[in-house]
Amino acid sequence: MTDLRLDGVSKRYGGGGGTSPDAADEPGTLALRDVDLTIRDGEFFTLVGPSGCGKTTTLRTIAGFEDPTNGRVSFDGDDVTGVAPERRDVGVVFQSYALFPHMTVAENVGYGLQFRDPPTGTSRDDRIEHLLDLVDLAGMGERDPAQLSGGQQQRVALARALAPEPSLLLLDEPMSALDARLRESLRRQVKRIQTQLDITTVYVTHDQSEALAISDRLAVMNAGRVEQVGSPREIYREPATRFVAEFVGDNNVFEGTVDETTDERSRVTVDGRTFFLPALPDTADRVTFCVRPDALSRAAEHNRFTVAVETTEFLGERVRCNGRWNGRLIVLHVDDPIDGRSADGDLTVGFEPSAAHVVDVE
Amino acid sequence: MSDDEPRHDRPSDTATGRDVTDRTGVETARIEAVTAWIERHALTLLALATAATLAVMLYVPVAIVFAEAVVDRGSVTLASFADVLSDPFFVGELATIAADPLALSDHLAGIWGWLTAISISATAVTVPGIGISIPWFAVDTPSLRLGLFGFTAYQAALSTFASLALGLPAAAVLAKYDFRGRRTIRSLTILPFVLPGILVAVGFYATFGRAGTINSLLGVVGLGPYPFIEWNPLAIVIVAHAFYNAPLIARVTVAAWEAVDVRSVETARSLGASRRRAFVDVVLPQLRPAILAGALLTFIFTFMTFPIVLALGGLELATVEVWIYDRVSRLALTEAATLAILETVISLGLTYAYLRYESAQSGLSATGSPPPREPLFPNLRSVVSPRRLAIVGYGLLALVVFVGPLASLVLGSVTDGSGFTLRHYAFLLDRQLEGESFQTLPVRAIVNSLLFGLATLLVAVPMGVVVSVVTTRAGRSGTVVDTLAMLPLAVSGIVFGIGLLQGLVFGISLPGGWRLQVTGTVAIVAAHAVAAYPFVTRTVSPQLDDLDPALVESARALGASRGRALLDVELPLVASAIVAGAAFAFAISIGEFSSTVILATGSDAYTMPVAVERYLGRRSGPALAMGTVLLAVTAASFVVVDRVGGRFEQ
């Protein structure tokens, strides 16, 4: 299996005419800016970010479909920058499935076995059968891809990518064309197969909840840069930047001026209202911090303020309330029902200083 | 294709690498390495071969002719351009501008004076021969000297207009209505386009000439004969151009129409647009690029028209191309080359514009579910509705323009002044059986045509496919390569023929005592392939463009080289386009006249169109018979390939 490293990878489109779907047409678009990543052997690693953030370009650079303008890509310490994709030993699954429409399911799965031998002791046909079994499509080998449902087609694409035993599996938004329920079950299946085969996997998605659910570690990308790399818990609980704080999960972000810092705590003013946070560095003048919706509680003793609730969404056990405080959008979760009344109107909530996560100080 | 070349090789990461260490023979390893290298670079090698063929067979010959214009006794000069551009004979009123480009106020005053002198008045026009007057608006413009280039553009514009007028109704009928034979007519729209110009010219003579079909028909009711062609040769030339190009316009427009998504129309209707408004606001904008592309292509073709004008108009209607031919035959090569360069610059510019439009158009063609077609004649009563009557009227007109010339050709070959006869065919048979070897033998012409056609197909299809693969998805630089590769469309057939003769047939001296010389059959096939491959590219490129790029990328990630992915994935998926392109190549080869007639001079490598021309003497009968044979062979090969192609489309 394979360790994967990207060192200072940049990608500029234009001048020569970019070919990636991510590339804008104007010359000199910088799609990747100095990306450093280390992906460990056997890891399920996710690249997540809004569209145009460079996650797909990163994946395509790893696969060899794009050559980086600067920097290098290495597999197990070997520099593979510039090596043609067919010589990289990677399996790729695309959002569009990209099944060969003129071949049967079995021919699709067996295509890569023309170029890379099946594992010793297995015949080509055995290998195809084994993989169709693995993705729960046993006996479908003679079908045409067009006869299958979207989820089935995507599983054929996965089987096809895995058939030649690649050392690296690359998944480019493989589920965005599927409906929500199917996406979840397929996601679990992908994760199960990945664990079973212990194959290093890079997964691209724009869906942060999917990224949190499936990954060992993930990288949040924005505007061609990696904002933060970490485990789902680290990313969720300790976002390193304001972008990550706002992109991953619901969050409430506040900026304030630091008035006073003692050993235990700092006093901060946001929009004329005083909040207490855990002690900040002495030099801090301004602070950006965030509080998750679940941490805003009606029972909390500290840091209380009143939110004008505008809309509510019923989630089952809880209700998500969207409202404003001093013009700022605030999202919070409350139990349902709230004292037997609807959540409309004003709600006074607070948060414990320890629940605030500091994103940035100046 | 730099991504085909690995800059760093990992020792153990390829299948071939693994195989090599397993086997012991060093020789085997070397052979495998070479095979693998060739496979990996197959596409690059093919592209280089294509580029080399184009260089030798197209760019060098054309450059040789062009050099005549700028090289005068060993030194480069632009004097001949200055001569042409300031001569009103060539450029009309523009000559004064070329002579003194900076006198802007004079030029503007001239244009203003001309514009203010235009007057429009109501008048009556008498339809010739019948004597009925119809009201008409007369636009009275002060005389304007167009010059040779101006006239060429003028007749091209009129021809484009006529082709649009004749082609768009056909597109509407084909796209909106369902009727028996719709599919056949739709695929037949390709036929006029590949018919040899000489055949069409002969067909138009057989229709409109003094002894033609129309005069025969009029003779039955005691009218005529009328000298239609002599009355207004320009009108006949324009109708002949419409014969060629209206089907082309209909074809591209129908294709765009069928790509329209019915849901976009339904959305507009649900938002309150009437049927007409929905058409104008939603459908028409999606058709516009196709119509413009078709019109532009028509303009390019008719700007460079040659056999039609030469045969039907002669030197009085000289276009640039005809004048070039005339200059060449009078050995005024410098003037010919100068005109050819100017003509090529104009047509290349137009071709570039066309390609830009075409790519804009391919962006629009999403996965369409076109609006359902309604039956043309749902019941007997519907025949008399105004709309249906108009369609029937149009159908009759189309019958005269499109079927008339070909039917007249066939008819003319089996009749003489007194009635049915087979003696024209008997003449061909007699010539075949009794003819001397220096005479033109019909069977040899047929065999030559078929062999050249087959050889052309074998050369042009790989060339066209390679150009498609290289230019698809290459962005703007791709359009530039595409334009250069489309040079055969933009460069005059006469120039091309002369260049081949002067350059390759006579031979080019190379350093070191070598001579580059290509003659006879090889030269003809190469010339045909160069003329034909753009049509392969034009049919294959759009389909290739529509393929999901992830298909090729998947194949490559699975271990296939670029060439292998082309072979395994792309080519099978665009097979129908390749077959259609092959049909085109074959038909272009069968019909090619301009360069074949030059290259076949004095040899027995003549083809059917050349034979038609050689039989064209005082009596038109044998030529009509030979033309009918040519028509039959072209149509038969077309039908065969269309059937095969139809099977591939499933």
Side-chain angles (χ1 to χ4, degrees):
Chain A
M1 294 298 153
T2 300
D3 265 348
L4 170 66
R5 271 177 67 95
L6 275 71
D7 291 300
V9 170
S10 297
K11 176 70 187 179
R12 181 183 290 277
Y13 290 114
T19 54
S20 153
D22 267 7
D25 265 348
E26 69 257 25
T29 311
L30 206 50
L32 294 181
R33 301 158 193 258
D34 208 19
V35 169
D36 291 312
L37 284 175
T38 303
I39 296 165
R40 299 172 198 142
D41 187 10
E43 189 169 48
F44 197 111
F45 192 91
T46 300
L47 299 167
V48 65
S51 58
C53 71
K55 55 191 190 298
T56 293
T57 307
T58 306
L59 187 96
R60 294 173 58 79
T61 307
I62 297 169
F65 300 134
E66 308 278 351
D67 280 333
T69 314
N70 287 307
R72 48 174 253 156
V73 180
S74 48
F75 293 177
D76 279 335
D78 295 326
D79 187 351
V80 296
T81 321
V83 173
E86 66 266 25
R87 297 157 71 87
R88 290 198 182 198
D89 198 19
V90 295
V92 184
V93 178
F94 290 98
Q95 178 183 350
S96 60
Y97 318 134
L99 296 182
F100 306 134
H102 56 302
M103 299 183 193
T104 64
V105 166
E107 284 167 346
N108 265 284
V109 175
Y111 184 77
L113 299 174
Q114 296 176 72
F115 309 105
R116 295 182 199 133
D117 294 329
T120 31
T122 0
S123 74
R124 216 179 134 203
D125 290 346
D126 289 347
R127 182 73 186 155
I128 294 170
E129 208 171 305
H130 171 73
L131 277 150
L132 287 177
D133 220 22
L134 188 71
V135 297
D136 297 335
L137 288 174
M140 303 274 221
E142 292 316 305
R143 303 263 184 107
D144 274 337
Q147 293 173 289
L148 304 183
S149 72
Q152 288 172 324
Q153 290 188 29
Q154 196 54 285
R155 282 182 280 156
V156 174
L158 181 64
R160 181 178 68 178
L162 290 170
E165 285 199 297
S167 50
L168 195 60
L169 179 62
L170 305 174
L171 305 162
D172 186 7
E173 307 231 15
M175 319 209 184
S176 8
L178 303 173
D179 68 67
R181 195 164 286 276
L182 191 57
R183 200 154 61 209
E184 273 182 38
S185 78
L186 192 54
R187 181 165 93 192
R188 280 192 285 276
Q189 196 173 9
V190 168
K191 180 70 181 176
R192 171 176 64 74
I193 291 170
Q194 189 266 337
T195 317
Q196 194 179 330
L197 301 179
D198 192 27
I199 180 171
T200 312
T201 300
V202 182
Y203 186 93
V204 163
T205 180
H206 62 268
D207 181 343
Q208 47 86 22
S209 65
E210 189 169 274
L212 293 177
I214 198 171
S215 317
D216 295 325
R217 289 194 309 143
L218 57 150
V220 182
M221 295 189 69
N222 180 37
R225 265 189 261 274
V226 174
E227 296 265 337
Q228 187 177 5
V229 178
S231 71
R233 282 178 182 79
E234 283 163 2
I235 298 278
Y236 187 81
R237 291 183 185 152
E238 292 152 31
T241 65
R242 180 180 182 140
F243 175 82
V244 176
E246 287 180 318
F247 183 77
V248 178
D250 287 338
N251 222 337
N252 300 295
V253 180
F254 302 89
E255 297 127 341
T257 50
V258 183
D259 301 326
E260 183 194 33
T261 296
T262 66
D263 284 350
E264 292 105 51
R265 61 189 194 184
S266 293
R267 203 178 73 215
V268 174
T269 304
V270 179
D271 295 342
R273 171 90 180 68
T274 301
F275 289 100
F276 291 101
L277 300 184
L280 295 165
D282 283 342
T283 52
D285 292 329
R286 296 187 55 80
V287 62
T288 305
F289 63 95
C290 58
V291 183
R292 290 284 176 195
D294 279 308
L296 289 177
S297 137
R298 296 198 301 141
E301 287 172 20
H302 299 96
N303 300 332
R304 290 178 69 81
F305 56 101
T306 301
V307 179
V309 176
E310 291 169 348
T311 61
T312 60
E313 295 162 53
F314 177 64
L315 302 178
E317 301 299 313
R318 308 269 276 168
V319 173
R320 181 193 283 133
C321 304
N322 302 293
R324 282 175 194 277
W325 170 68
N326 280 350
R328 291 171 187 277
L329 287 171
I330 299 289
V331 56
L332 56 97
H333 294 166
V334 295
D335 288 333
D336 183 76
I338 312 164
D339 303 340
R341 69 173 178 95
S342 83
D344 292 340
D346 287 352
L347 265 181
T348 301
V349 293
F351 60 92
E352 298 304 327
S354 59
H357 171 73
V358 174
V359 177
D360 197 18
V361 288
E362 282 171 38
Chain B
M1 271 156 297
S2 61
D3 61 334
D4 272 353
E5 296 157 45
R7 277 164 228 161
H8 299 272
D9 252 353
R10 287 197 294 149
S12 64
D13 67 342
T14 65
T16 45
R18 242 181 270 153
D19 286 350
V20 170
T21 43
D22 289 347
R23 294 173 203 172
T24 44
V26 176
E27 271 305 299
T28 328
R30 195 170 296 158
I31 290 167
E32 285 207 4
V34 170
T35 319
W37 187 89
I38 290 176
E39 195 193 303
R40 207 149 4 96
H41 297 271
L43 197 58
T44 318
L45 295 173
L46 262 177
L48 287 176
T50 300
T53 310
L54 284 181
V56 173
M57 296 306 305
L58 177 63
Y59 296 122
V60 168
V62 170
I64 287 173
V65 177
F66 283 6
E68 291 280 348
V70 289
V71 180
D72 184 26
R73 288 184 214 90
S75 62
V76 176
T77 167
L78 291 178
S80 59
F81 287 95
D83 286 350
V84 166
L85 288 176
S86 57
D87 185 346
F89 174 79
F90 292 114
V91 295
E93 307 286 339
L94 293 178
T96 55
I97 297 179
D100 188 6
L102 295 178
L104 273 182
S105 57
D106 286 359
H107 303 321
L108 288 175
I111 293 170
W112 178 247
W114 189 84
L115 284 174
T116 49
I118 296 176
S119 69
I120 299 174
S121 56
T123 177
V125 170
T126 309
V127 178
I130 311 174
I132 305 167
S133 293
I134 50 170
W136 197 258
F137 282 106
V139 180
D140 202 15
T141 54
S143 70
L144 175 73
R145 193 161 180 197
L146 289 170
L148 187 62
F149 279 93
F151 173 74
T152 307
Y154 171 69
Q155 64 82 25
L158 285 181
S159 302
T160 307
F161 186 74
S163 303
L164 284 171
L166 207 55
L168 290 180
V173 172
L174 286 171
K176 287 180 67 175
Y177 298 103
D178 218 353
F179 52 92
R180 275 171 85 103
R182 193 191 80 88
R183 280 180 61 91
T184 313
I185 291 183
R186 196 184 180 292
S187 45
L188 277 180
T189 51
I190 205 81
L191 191 60
F193 195 64
V194 296
L195 284 181
I198 184 95
L199 193 63
V200 176
V202 169
F204 267 75
Y205 252 115
T207 312
F208 294 103
R210 269 179 192 279
T213 322
I214 291 187
N215 274 323
S216 305
L217 290 175
L218 289 176
V220 174
V221 290
L223 289 168
Y226 298 108
F228 292 109
I229 298 180
E230 290 77 2
W231 266 346
N232 197 343
L234 180 60
I236 301 291
V237 164
I238 286 167
V239 173
H241 284 163
F243 171 89
Y244 262 111
N245 295 296
L248 172 84
I249 286 175
R251 196 175 175 79
V252 294
T253 309
V254 169
W257 212 318
E258 286 172 351
V260 170
D261 191 344
V262 65
R263 280 164 299 195
S264 64
V265 180
E266 286 167 353
T267 307
R269 294 296 300 278
S270 72
L271 290 168
S274 67
R275 186 186 287 269
R276 211 184 66 81
R277 266 308 286 274
F279 177 79
V280 171
D281 293 349
V282 178
V283 180
L284 205 54
Q286 299 188 58
L287 301 185
R288 199 175 295 135
I291 297 174
L292 281 174
L296 208 49
L297 208 54
T298 302
F299 190 87
I300 296 170
F301 287 140
T302 52
F303 190 80
M304 303 204 305
T305 181
F306 173 60
I308 298 279
V309 176
L310 187 66
L312 295 174
L315 278 183
E316 290 123 74
L317 282 187
T319 57
V320 176
E321 185 83 354
V322 172
W323 196 255
I324 293 173
Y325 173 75
D326 180 67
R327 294 294 96 181
V328 167
S329 56
R330 286 162 203 267
L331 296 176
L333 285 184
T334 305
E335 190 184 328
T338 309
L339 292 173
I341 289 179
L342 291 171
E343 186 198 40
T344 307
V345 166
I346 294 171
S347 53
L348 257 190
L350 292 168
T351 306
Y352 180 78
Y354 163 70
L355 291 171
R356 289 303 300 272
Y357 260 125
E358 194 189 49
S359 58
Q361 185 191 342
S362 71
L364 277 175
S365 69
T367 49
S369 48
R373 282 182 286 270
E374 45 182 303
L376 186 53
F377 298 116
N379 54 49
L380 215 55
R381 197 135 40 98
S382 69
V383 178
V384 295
S385 77
R387 180 176 295 235
R388 258 74 177 182
L389 279 179
I391 293 174
V392 170
Y394 168 77
L396 290 176
L397 178 68
L399 213 61
V400 172
V401 175
F402 295 116
V403 182
L406 300 180
S408 303
L409 175 79
V410 178
L411 209 63
S413 76
V414 292
T415 51
D416 55 12
S418 51
F420 179 80
T421 176
L422 282 177
R423 70 188 166 87
H424 304 315
Y425 290 95
F427 169 84
L428 294 186
L429 197 63
D430 181 58
R431 176 59 68 84
Q432 178 63 33
L433 296 176
E434 311 288 333
E436 302 290 335
S437 62
F438 64 85
Q439 287 179 313
T440 305
L441 308 180
V443 171
R444 173 169 280 281
I446 296 172
V447 170
N448 276 347
S449 278
L450 293 176
L451 285 180
F452 293 166
L454 209 61
T456 300
L457 183 156
L458 292 178
V459 179
V461 168
M463 278 174 74
V465 169
V466 164
V467 172
S468 284
V469 171
V470 171
T471 54
T472 302
R473 282 192 265 278
R476 190 163 298 189
S477 59
T479 315
V480 174
V481 174
D482 220 9
T483 313
L484 280 181
M486 290 303 117
L487 194 66
L489 287 184
V491 84
S492 118
I494 295 298
V495 169
F496 184 44
I498 304 287
L500 282 176
L501 198 64
Q502 282 194 320
L504 298 173
V505 177
F506 296 166
I508 304 167
S509 306
L510 296 177
W514 293 83
R515 269 186 90 70
L516 177 64
Q517 196 168 19
V518 185
T519 52
T521 313
V522 176
I524 292 180
V525 169
H528 286 187
V530 165
Y533 88 91
F535 294 91
V536 179
T537 300
R538 292 267 71 78
T539 49
V540 172
S541 278
Q543 281 209 21
L544 215 48
D545 222 20
D546 283 347
L547 287 187
D548 183 357
L551 286 169
V552 170
E553 289 173 350
S554 292
R556 295 202 67 189
L558 289 166
S561 63
R562 182 65 191 86
R564 191 63 199 269
L566 178 70
L567 212 60
D568 286 352
V569 179
E570 286 165 298
L571 293 190
L573 293 177
V574 299
S576 63
I578 294 176
V579 172
F584 250 131
F586 189 75
I588 297 273
S589 165
I590 297 241
E592 213 290 332
F593 179 72
S594 312
S595 55
T596 316
V597 72
I598 292 171
L599 293 172
T601 310
S603 76
D604 54 7
Y606 45 82
T607 59
M608 287 190 278
V610 175
V612 172
E613 193 258 357
R614 288 186 184 173
Y615 289 142
L616 206 58
R618 228 169 311 152
R619 292 174 309 123
S620 59
L624 291 178
M626 192 66 220
T628 304
V629 173
L630 169 55
L631 179 64
V633 173
T634 310
S637 58
F638 177 79
V639 167
V640 167
V641 183
D642 192 53
R643 284 284 148 78
V644 178
R647 203 180 307 149
F648 268 92
E649 264 169 73
Q650 298 313 314

